[in-house]
Amino acid sequence: MRPPYEPLRGYLIPLMLAALAFPLISLFGCGGNTSSLHVVSGSVTLDGVALENGVIRFSPIGSTTPVGGTIEAGKFTVMAPEGQFRVEVTSARVVGHRKAYDTPDSPMVAITEEAVPPRFNVQTTLQCEVTPGRNTMNFDLTTR
């Protein structure tokens, strides 16, 4: 019996290369000038405690192409163009668990909710300016 991938044998390597190339093209764009991007790094705390994990997004004011990255142990680093930005921070907090399916042997899945108040994400009031060179930005958020 032939393996299920036998008809794809001649196409396997090109398909794998295309699968690897797509994320890189999406990340860097097609022929874009990355020299106009600047390092933005810093910290995010919530009520004085480093945000364990989350996402930070910089949305250019007057434009539609945001940039962003992950927050890990309260730290982030992203590459952004020069300009004024709205800043959005999100972080999921586990508040419980439930069965994935209504069966006796169902695995448990986490129930999450947004830990960061809306005024710092969907209704953000945070803004910043990215200037040429390295930029350090610290965001001290509160739930009150």
Side-chain angles (χ1 to χ4, degrees):
M1 184 169 163
R2 291 189 328 186
Y5 59 84
E6 184 70 30
L8 297 175
R9 184 177 296 269
Y11 299 100
L12 201 53
I13 290 177
L15 284 172
M16 288 172 44
L17 290 175
L20 291 172
F22 180 74
L24 292 175
I25 291 169
S26 298
L27 183 63
F28 296 110
C30 296
N33 182 1
T34 58
S35 65
S36 63
L37 296 178
H38 309 285
V39 175
V40 181
S41 60
S43 64
V44 180
T45 61
L46 183 61
D47 294 330
V49 178
L51 202 59
E52 187 176 327
N53 57 53
V55 174
I56 189 163
R57 187 165 93 171
F58 295 83
S59 298
I61 295 174
S63 181
T64 59
T65 308
V67 296
T70 59
I71 301 167
E72 294 178 13
K75 304 287 183 194
F76 70 91
T77 300
V78 299
M79 299 295 289
E82 183 177 353
Q84 294 285 333
F85 292 85
R86 289 179 52 237
V87 181
E88 300 172 28
V89 177
T90 60
S91 178
R93 170 178 52 215
V94 176
V95 295
H97 291 84
R98 65 172 177 81
K99 286 186 170 188
Y101 312 105
D102 191 21
T103 61
D105 59 344
S106 174
M108 299 298 280
V109 294
I111 300 170
T112 62
E113 67 180 22
E114 180 58 54
V116 179
R119 70 180 177 276
F120 302 121
N121 46 62
V122 294
Q123 300 168 357
T124 190
T125 57
L126 297 174
Q127 292 191 1
C128 72
E129 180 178 7
V130 174
T131 58
R134 296 186 73 77
N135 296 260
T136 301
M137 298 179 187
N138 299 314
F139 299 99
D140 300 315
L141 315 179
T142 62
T143 54
R144 293 175 287 290

